[in-house]
Amino acid sequence: MTTIIDASKNGGKPVAHGESHGEHPDYRLFGLLIFLASESLMFGGLFASYLIYRASTTTWPPEGTEVELLLPAINTIILISSSFVIHQGDSAIKKNNVGGMRFWYVATALMGIVFLGGQVYEYLNLGYGLSTNVFSGCFYVMTGFHGLHVLVGVLLILGVVWRSRREGHYNESKHTGVEMAEIYWHFVDIIWIVLFALLYILTRL
Amino acid sequence: MTQAELPLHTPPSQSQGHQHPEKWSWYHYFWYNTDHKVIGIQYLVTSFLFYLIAGVMALFMRAELSTPDVDLLSPELYNAFLTNHGTMMIFFWVVPAAIGGFGNYLIPLMIGAKDMAFPNLNAIAFWLNPPAGLLLMISLFFGGAQSGWTSYPPLSLITNNVGQSLWILAIVLVGSSSIMGSVNFLVTIFKMRVPDMTWDNLPLFCWAMVATSILALFSTPVLAAGLVLLLFDINFGTGFFRPEMGGNVVVYQHLFWFYSHPAVYLMILPIFGIMSEVIPTHVRKPIFGYKAIAYSSLAICIVGLFVWVHHMFTSGTPPWMRMFFTISTLIVAVPTGVKIFSWVATLWGGKIRYTSPLLFGVGLLAMFVFGGLSGVTLGTAPFDLHVHDTYYVVAHFHYVLFGGSVFGIYAAIYHWFPKITGRMYNETLGRIHFVLTFIGANLTFLPMHELGLKGMPRRIAMYDPQFTTINQICTYGSMLLGFSVLPFMVNMVWSWMKGQPAGRNPWRALTLEWQTTSPPAIENFDEDPILWAGPYDYGIDTQGAEEETVEEMLEEVKAEVS
Amino acid sequence: MAKEKETVPISLITLTLGIAVTGISFWYGQNNGLLPEQVSEQAPLVDDFFQVMVTIGTALFLLVEGAIVFIMIKFRRKKGDETDAPYVEGNLPLEIFWTAIPAFIVIGLGIYSVDVYSQMGGFDAIGSGIAHNHSHHSVEIASLPGSEANLLMAEGDNREYGMGATPVEGKLPPDLTVNVTGIQYAWLFNYPDTGIVAGELHVPVGKDVQLSIEAQDVIHSFWLPQFRIKQDAIPGEKTLLRFVATQTGHYPVVCAELCGAYHGAMRTEVIVHNQEEYNQWVAENQIAAVPDLNKAVAVQQERSDGAFLEPFVEQMGVNEHTVTALQHLH
């Protein structure tokens, strides 16, 4: 043991750096939070640009590039409720209920896929493209970029489900991966709420 | 009173069941490796190669500017060189060398950890750099990006689309690398310090890296957003920055400078950290005002996020913005001044050793003071309206980035060379290197102030003949500067192979990295490091007390073992 | 520190040094000769401000660099001395002092710079409103392809950045308005009152001139070094510069923002006439003025890069050979 000296000086407190590579469960959560803070700034840059364009243009969105509201509203409800669904999964694993966690996580992933399908359907039916004007550019870049994050989130969730097939991979005391997927999903959700407000509500005021 | 290494000689324990070899072979340095020390060296060596490439570009540009006419380079090539010189010096030399190189090499050692928090993420972050560099080199074969490192649209939309797109991809790659690295640094410093190391005796380099990482995390993504929009404009027909499609070119400038002003602090904050390590060690005196230096890094980091519009005083910015950002820019001078005065006070009354790291540190101080003063003048909108985009600006940022960052990196290389290689560098060559670099830098960059004030804009291959003489002085200076790299390279290569063995702690420094062997073992410390003095507690007559603690500890260890 | 020099008290040395530093700083502030001649009403304002900054900067430079040189000599390690220096960790009053002094200096400079900026006319950047009628022609020249774009930019047209009327001029309309268009790699000057289009800027001395600046292709920057003013020409956005020339003569107009390969050649002249000369110039050129401005621009655009260089050949000191070489390269 190399931690003798530390332990003797430290009253036997566990010493973090005595662990081996890559096994720092608590660090991963912390790292993810820092990363998401950074990631939100990227959306922040896009949101700020969007607001500047909006402020400097008389009709926003310009004629011919309006957005519809019904489908995105349904999509929004699905995405927001999926945050509650995934939280059920997290509660389940905290009670050591791996089956419950898998159920709720698969449900979340399905909701994410439905959301993405809705996005694609909306893209196909809008009737204008990326390069029609600045608004359509903003619309596709922002929603597309968010959609990419949803996709990554779905893959993360499915990854958690895949890993959980091994007995004891996750349990009530060891479930950082589960929590990380959940936090990431909430992040994607929060970004969507802002996006929805900017793209679908602010265009109607 | 000598405060050398600990008298602990317990055999290195190898009972941890890791599959590492006992020592890295040369080929381990050329492949994916998660050891933070290997990654640090990988960053340093690759970035130095880019320094040489970008330096050669600068020499070509200076040669072109020795006459007012266009004679050596075509104007397109000149613009490609100025764009890539700036890009490489910033994104492929100073940032990776100071943050990636020394940040990775030193942070775990300084805080007594075995490695970074996420070694794999760390290795991936490094390995984003070579492809990025490759993209940039490929772009040169297509003529290179030619719209300056700022790449303002619409110019960047209409000149050399292939080169520009490759340039954007390269920058997005190194930006991602920088974000990954910053996550790693923050988690490592927050969570992996040896148990006794509180924030009050954290080495100042680590403090500086905390500020640097926060800044990188908050600003880099915004640049990425701007560059992605630019990429879409170039390749996918969008019109974010095309006025004829309703776009707005000034939006790009905001997105760009929101990152790129903080980028200046990314390049100087780690150097400030290096200064705070180098100076106390070589003058054998505690750092003056530890807390002031630590907190001023954070102050620079926070204020630095709100000054970006001073690059846009002549652009489409309303008056209130020009005034607000004048004031916020001027405020940055206060925490920076605190640091400079603290270092001068650290030197005062010390026992100054004329070693190469100290010489470069003091040279940095001398150059940075000047660059800081010209920076204050540039920060005021009414004066900036005259000198913006002139050689005055070029002179200013070379004083802070060459005289600051590059001098700091040299100081750091000399200071930690014995630790990294286990051998001493040649002091005479180091001093020659310093003298040549110091004279060369001042000869090159000092006259540029006058050029700018008198009316010579930057980024031009052809200029008004009245400026010929001053430009020729700058060109001679740049040749000296180019030459000054030679003694450095000879010194590094020769000393790495044949230098005197250095021992654990040739400088008798107190930070933890000097407690282990030189070069350190694969997981850094044979026995876990002990924090037995503050990082800068030079000059405390504690020898007796220390021996007691050490003996006590030895007894405790024996008691535990038996 | 000065134990060995008991004959000269430390306060005396400090006093002497202080006087010397102050003297040198003031002298250098006044006599640095770094700025070109002053040709606009704004120039003396900027130069006085620069002088103040140079004076303060020189004093700080001498003190800090002097301290560094002194320290490096005085406190170098004696041979064989391996001991540490005395333990000094900090000094709170001193640290407060050197935080407060720069803070005062920069706050002072900040206030001063706001004042200078205001006197230069910076706060009137939104334009006096009169400029809009005049600049109507130029909107047409610069109108960018696509009618949708014009619709989108309708509101953007009202925002004008740059230098407007000084507080002294108040709401008075400028005496002369010139529309300036930057294209790769030339400046075009269009006098809406007389219909003159010129390749260099002619203004009468002592008159209040307003430039309405725009760019057709990429960002340029309109810089008059002798006037100490600069404003970017931004595609899709109009900017203003308003000044009063104070001295007749020929002065350079420089493009300061990288605008392409021949950015360095994008130079012309501002010619400050006295009133009679100016009137004469107007009279001579009004007859020859091309009424169809679009044609003028079109002609300009058809020229190759190399052709753009030709007007600058004399000024730039490039010879015939270089120009041909450039054309060849291009």
Side-chain angles (χ1 to χ4, degrees), chain B residues 73-299:
Chain B
L73 307 170
S74 75
E76 286 85 3
L77 188 59
Y78 183 87
N79 283 359
F81 275 9
L82 75 85
T83 304
N84 287 286
H85 166 76
T87 308
M88 284 185 186
M89 285 294 189
I90 293 165
F91 294 107
F92 292 85
W93 158 237
V94 175
V95 169
I99 303 178
F102 287 107
N104 270 307
Y105 197 92
L106 294 174
I107 285 176
L109 284 166
M110 279 182 166
I111 63 175
K114 285 192 156 69
D115 207 320
M116 300 286 281
F118 311 113
N120 274 304
L121 187 70
N122 203 16
I124 294 168
F126 168 73
W127 282 103
L128 289 178
N129 282 275
L134 201 65
L135 283 176
L136 212 58
M137 302 309 277
I138 293 171
S139 84
L140 285 178
F141 285 99
F142 289 100
Q146 294 173 10
S147 45
W149 84 283
T150 50
S151 286
Y152 279 2
L155 183 65
S156 52
L157 302 178
I158 59 169
T159 33
N160 196 0
N161 287 342
V162 181
Q164 194 69 47
S165 303
L166 290 170
W167 180 89
I168 293 173
L169 292 175
I171 302 303
V172 169
L173 278 183
V174 288
S176 317
S177 158
S178 165
I179 292 175
M180 290 179 190
S182 302
V183 170
N184 229 331
F185 291 138
L186 276 187
V187 177
T188 309
I189 296 173
F190 270 84
K191 300 277 187 185
M192 295 174 72
R193 285 167 282 142
V194 284
D196 290 343
M197 189 180 277
T198 59
W199 287 98
D200 283 344
N201 52 21
L202 185 69
L204 284 165
F205 179 73
C206 299
W207 266 105
M209 286 305 296
V210 169
T212 310
S213 306
I214 294 174
L215 209 50
L217 283 167
F218 283 123
S219 56
T220 319
V222 179
L223 174 76
L227 289 182
V228 166
L229 296 184
L230 192 66
L231 192 70
F232 271 73
D233 268 13
I234 294 176
N235 296 300
F236 306 115
T238 52
F240 298 108
F241 309 128
R242 290 184 190 272
E244 70 271 21
M245 289 178 67
N248 184 335
V249 296
V250 180
V251 171
Y252 174 84
Q253 299 180 7
H254 282 288
L255 293 174
F256 179 83
W257 286 114
F258 187 82
Y259 165 77
S260 295
H261 190 77
V264 174
Y265 301 121
L266 291 186
M267 289 186 275
I268 203 67
L269 281 173
I271 302 301
F272 286 168
I274 287 165
M275 284 289 279
S276 306
E277 302 297 331
V278 168
I279 290 185
T281 309
H282 294 267
V283 304
R284 313 303 305 166
K285 197 165 159 281
I287 191 86
F288 191 95
Y290 172 91
K291 283 195 172 150
I293 293 183
Y295 298 153
S296 61
S297 289
L298 293 181

Side-chain angles (χ1 to χ4, degrees), chain A residues 32-54:
Chain A
L32 179 72
L33 289 176
I34 294 173
F35 174 75
L36 291 181
S38 172
E39 192 75 352
S40 60
L41 260 289
M42 188 184 284
F43 282 104
L46 293 174
F47 294 165
S49 315
Y50 173 85
L51 287 173
I52 297 173
Y53 289 127
R54 181 176 178 271

Side-chain angles (χ1 to χ4, degrees), chain C residues 92-152:
Chain C
L92 194 61
L94 191 60
E95 287 172 52
I96 291 172
F97 172 77
W98 70 43
T99 314
I101 293 295
F104 278 123
I105 293 176
V106 297
I107 290 169
L109 283 180
I111 294 168
Y112 187 9
S113 78
V114 173
D115 180 51
V116 171
Y117 187 70
S118 150
Q119 288 189 50
M120 288 170 76
F123 285 111
D124 187 50
I126 308 301
S128 49
I130 290 127
H132 290 282
N133 305 327
H134 288 301
S135 55
H136 202 70
H137 292 287
S138 63
V139 175
E140 278 164 27
I141 325 176
S143 76
L144 302 146
S147 56
E148 191 184 31
N150 288 342
L151 199 89
L152 285 171

Side-chain angles (χ1 to χ4, degrees), chain B residues 76 79 244 249 284 289 314 316 322 350-352 354 366 385-386 388-389 453 459 464 508 538-540, chain C residues 36 65 72 75 77 81-85 87 89 117 149 161 163 230-232 234 256-257 260 263 267 330:
Chain B
E76 286 85 3
N79 283 359
E244 70 271 21
V249 296
R284 313 303 305 166
T314 68
R322 294 182 179 186
K351 300 198 169 169
I352 300 174
Y354 276 46
L385 291 182
H386 176 54
H388 175 75
D389 262 331
L453 290 168
R459 294 171 166 165
D464 197 326
R508 297 185 290 122
Y538 300 101
I540 300 182
Chain C
E65 306 284 359
M72 287 302 283
F75 296 109
R77 182 181 70 113
D81 182 359
E82 291 298 324
T83 59
D84 287 356
Y87 182 86
E89 222 186 356
Y117 187 70
Y161 304 123
M163 287 281 158
K230 180 186 290 133
Q231 176 59 51
D232 286 4
I234 304 167
E257 181 67 57
H263 164 53
R267 295 167 65 94
H330 199 65

Side-chain angles (χ1 to χ4, degrees), chain C:
Chain C
M1 153 196 144
K3 272 178 211 156
E4 68 272 22
K5 287 188 192 172
E6 271 147 9
T7 44
V8 191
I10 187 96
S11 54
L12 196 63
I13 299 176
T14 319
L15 189 67
T16 323
L17 277 178
I19 292 170
V21 166
T22 318
I24 295 171
S25 305
F26 272 100
W27 181 83
Y28 191 69
Q30 307 286 322
N31 299 296
N32 53 59
L34 288 170
L35 290 164
E37 54 186 319
Q38 307 172 335
V39 185
S40 74
E41 280 186 355
Q42 280 115 333
L45 296 169
V46 177
D47 290 9
D48 289 348
F49 183 44
F50 181 63
Q51 273 184 8
V52 170
M53 291 196 291
V54 171
T55 307
I56 298 171
T58 312
L60 285 173
F61 177 83
L62 290 176
L63 288 176
V64 180
E65 306 284 359
I68 293 172
V69 172
F70 173 78
I71 289 168
M72 287 302 283
I73 296 164
K74 168 88 183 167
F75 296 109
R76 64 185 191 282
R77 182 181 70 113
K78 309 283 175 300
K79 237 191 183 109
D81 182 359
E82 291 298 324
T83 59
D84 287 356
Y87 182 86
V88 184
E89 222 186 356
N91 181 335
L92 194 61
L94 191 60
E95 287 172 52
I96 291 172
F97 172 77
W98 70 43
T99 314
I101 293 295
F104 278 123
I105 293 176
V106 297
I107 290 169
L109 283 180
I111 294 168
Y112 187 9
S113 78
V114 173
D115 180 51
V116 171
Y117 187 70
S118 150
Q119 288 189 50
M120 288 170 76
F123 285 111
D124 187 50
I126 308 301
S128 49
I130 290 127
H132 290 282
N133 305 327
H134 288 301
S135 55
H136 202 70
H137 292 287
S138 63
V139 175
E140 278 164 27
I141 325 176
S143 76
L144 302 146
S147 56
E148 191 184 31
N150 288 342
L151 199 89
L152 285 171
M153 292 312 297
E155 202 173 303
D157 269 338
N158 296 329
R159 299 180 304 156
E160 291 190 343
Y161 304 123
M163 287 281 158
T166 63
V168 183
E169 288 153 4
K171 288 288 166 211
L172 291 174
D175 298 325
L176 172 68
T177 304
V178 184
N179 294 322
V180 181
T181 308
I183 54 172
Q184 280 177 323
Y185 303 92
W187 294 106
L188 291 181
F189 301 95
N190 160 28
Y191 292 70
D193 295 332
T194 50
I196 298 174
V197 176
E200 63 280 323
L201 177 62
H202 294 260
V203 295
V205 68
K207 286 287 156 62
D208 186 3
V209 181
Q210 177 165 302
L211 306 180
S212 174
I213 305 169
E214 57 200 347
Q216 269 214 323
D217 33 34
V218 300
I219 301 174
H220 303 276
S221 192
F222 189 86
W223 182 27
L224 301 170
Q226 280 72 8
F227 292 61
R228 311 287 190 275
I229 45 177
K230 180 186 290 133
Q231 176 59 51
D232 286 4
I234 304 167
E237 218 164 87
K238 261 186 296 166
T239 50
L240 284 183
L241 268 187
R242 191 161 159 173
F243 61 87
V244 177
T246 53
Q247 193 181 315
T248 56
H250 293 238
Y251 307 100
V253 174
V254 181
C255 174
E257 181 67 57
L258 178 64
C259 61
Y262 296 91
H263 164 53
M266 185 166 167
R267 295 167 65 94
T268 181
E269 277 192 319
V270 49
I271 299 150
V272 185
H273 299 280
N274 59 38
Q275 191 66 47
E276 301 96 79
E277 270 177 18
Y278 178 74
N279 293 343
Q280 200 189 340
W281 175 81
V282 170
E284 279 168 12
N285 285 271
Q286 212 161 4
I287 316 151
V290 189
D292 188 352
L293 303 181
N294 282 310
K295 203 182 273 176
V297 176
V299 168
Q300 286 281 2
Q301 280 176 330
E302 276 161 23
R303 291 160 64 187
S304 71
D305 283 336
F308 272 119
L309 286 178
E310 275 159 19
F312 311 106
V313 166
E314 270 173 64
Q315 246 170 278
M316 299 294 303
V318 266
N319 54 27
E320 207 56 42
H321 177 74
T322 327
V323 175
T324 5
L326 283 176
Q327 277 167 324
H328 185 69
L329 277 169
H330 199 65

